[in-house]
């Protein structure tokens, strides 16, 4: 636990550095493209459109989700969250191995590299979040006090992403195949994250297994907030499970990182 507390303090101490480097990397990724940063918006929109044609029009016809909004709007709320999580975790697994040679010669806290990776995708997430809210309001969904719990679920998402990416990015340095394992696992988790399937329509036995995926807690949490379905404390078992899962990876990742950080260059 001491290692985890120390690493969390490093994130807060170097927050301004994390945001500056993230902005630079975000621009550098697209500076050679004609449409530049516009691709950050086009890519998720194309992906959402593709999944809607397959799972919305193709499999559901014109039916609406059980929460009373069109399936497309319901799906966009989940897809916005999923795409940010998926990108953060898949890219985050390579956050240290891709940069360790660049920063090994200077005094640089390697444990902020996963945070930089997460922050670099935040502008796209923010735009897609605004699009989601506009769609919700256009369908007659009015803001309520429950929208305030978005802050809670956003904190859940950021802490979860850092815990997982710190763990996987450290393991990737030691075991290079880890990045491919992460990509494969994320492809599987997409179908059990509640992003395109309405969990409420499934048998209880299946919902139980889906709930073991902590990403489902975040995706459904944002829907609970924006669709005013429930407060987060109404599901104490899921909340305890989510935070136990997250803290386990945070502690395990912190211990691994601090143990091997001095020899990362040797493994690369």
């Amino acid at each position: 636990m001491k290692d985890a507390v120390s690493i969390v303090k490093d994130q807060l101490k170097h927050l301004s550095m994390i945001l500056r480097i993230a902005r630079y990397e975000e621009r550098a990724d697209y500076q050679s493209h004609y449409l530049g940063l516009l691709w950050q918006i086009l890519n998720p929109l194309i992906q959402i459109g593709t999944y809607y044609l397959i799972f919305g029009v193709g499999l559901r016809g014109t039916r609406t989700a059980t929460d009373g909004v069109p399936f497309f709007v319901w799906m966009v709320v989940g897809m916005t969250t999923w795409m940010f999580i998926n990108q953060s975790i898949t890219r985050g697994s390579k956050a240290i191995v891709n940069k360790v040679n660049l920063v090994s010669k200077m005094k640089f806290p390697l444990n902020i590299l996963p945070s930089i990776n997460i922050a670099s995708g935040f502008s796209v997430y923010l735009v897609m979040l605004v699009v989601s809210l506009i769609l919700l309001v256009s369908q007659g969904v009015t803001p309520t006090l429950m929208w305030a719990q978005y802050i809670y679920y956003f904190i859940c998402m950021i802490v979860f992403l850092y815990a997982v990416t710190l763990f996987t990015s450290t393991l990737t340095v030691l075991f290079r195949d880890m990045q491919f394992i992460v990509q494969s696992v994320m492809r599987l988790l997409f179908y059990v994250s509640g992003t395109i399937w309405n969990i409420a329509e499934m048998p209880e036995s299946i919902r139980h297994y889906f709930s073991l995926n902590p990403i489902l807690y975040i995706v459904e949490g944002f829907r609970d907030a924006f669709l005013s379905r429930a407060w987060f404390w109404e599901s104490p078992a899921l909340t305890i499970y989510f935070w136990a899962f997250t803290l386990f990876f945070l502690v395990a990742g912190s211990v691994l990182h601090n143990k091997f950080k001095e020899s990362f260059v040797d493994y690369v």
Side-chain angles (χ1 to χ4, degrees):
M1 184 61 74
K2 182 179 178 181
D3 291 314
V5 171
S6 174
I7 282 182
V8 170
K9 287 181 178 179
D10 277 347
Q11 310 313 301
L12 299 176
K13 178 181 177 182
H14 298 98
L15 182 59
S16 60
M17 181 193 299
I18 291 170
L19 296 177
R20 286 199 309 271
I21 297 177
R23 282 197 298 268
Y24 170 79
E25 289 195 345
E26 195 174 32
R27 294 172 182 171
D29 286 342
Y30 292 91
Q31 65 179 358
S32 61
H33 299 76
Y34 287 113
L35 297 181
L37 294 176
L38 186 59
W39 277 114
Q40 292 184 310
I41 310 303
L42 291 176
N43 281 332
L45 288 177
I46 292 171
Q47 188 173 354
I48 287 175
T50 302
Y51 281 115
Y52 173 66
L53 290 175
I54 297 173
F55 297 101
V57 177
L59 298 182
R60 296 180 62 93
T62 58
R63 289 186 298 161
T64 59
T66 55
D67 298 308
V69 295
F71 177 76
F72 177 73
V73 177
W74 180 88
M75 189 188 73
V76 167
V77 176
M79 284 294 294
T80 297
T81 307
W82 166 260
M83 287 188 295
F84 181 62
I85 291 175
N86 181 55
Q87 176 180 295
S88 297
I89 292 179
T90 52
R91 292 179 55 177
S93 65
K94 300 175 285 186
I96 295 178
V97 75
N98 285 347
K99 297 288 193 305
V100 68
N101 283 326
L102 297 176
V103 300
S104 60
K105 306 299 182 183
M106 61 183 76
K107 187 178 180 181
F108 187 91
L110 294 175
N111 58 45
I112 72 170
L113 290 175
S115 291
I116 292 171
N117 165 73
I118 295 169
S120 66
F122 185 69
S123 61
V124 179
Y125 169 73
L126 185 61
V127 172
M128 293 304 300
L129 177 63
V130 171
V131 171
S132 300
L133 296 181
I134 292 174
L135 288 173
L136 285 171
V137 173
S138 71
Q139 295 299 319
V141 177
T142 56
T144 67
L145 186 59
M146 284 187 175
W147 282 36
Q149 64 184 333
Y150 167 81
I151 298 172
Y152 164 74
Y153 285 111
F154 180 77
I155 293 172
C156 288
M157 180 171 66
I158 297 301
V159 176
F160 170 78
L161 289 176
Y162 182 76
V164 172
T165 53
L166 178 67
F167 181 80
T168 57
S169 61
T170 300
L171 279 183
T172 298
V173 178
L174 309 176
F175 177 58
R176 200 62 56 85
D177 290 349
M178 187 64 191
Q179 59 185 309
F180 301 113
I181 295 175
V182 169
Q183 292 172 8
S184 299
V185 170
M186 291 305 294
R187 291 192 191 100
L188 172 64
L189 290 181
F190 171 72
Y191 295 99
V192 294
S193 63
T195 306
I196 53 177
W197 308 117
N198 194 331
I199 304 303
E201 298 177 351
M202 296 182 175
E204 187 173 349
S205 58
I206 297 179
R207 292 203 303 269
H208 174 73
Y209 289 108
F210 271 46
S211 65
L212 296 177
N213 177 8
I215 298 176
L216 174 68
Y217 180 80
I218 301 172
V219 172
E220 287 294 284
F222 283 125
R223 289 196 181 116
D224 284 343
F226 292 134
L227 297 175
S228 302
R229 300 190 308 190
W231 292 100
F232 70 88
W233 59 72
E234 294 179 31
S235 302
L238 290 177
T239 300
I240 293 171
Y241 170 78
F242 171 81
W243 282 111
F245 184 97
T246 300
L247 291 177
F248 170 79
F249 273 91
L250 180 61
V251 172
S254 300
V255 171
L256 272 176
H257 184 88
N258 286 340
K259 181 177 181 180
F260 292 101
K261 64 181 180 180
E262 300 298 334
S263 56
F264 278 164
V265 176
D266 297 332
Y267 285 98
V268 173

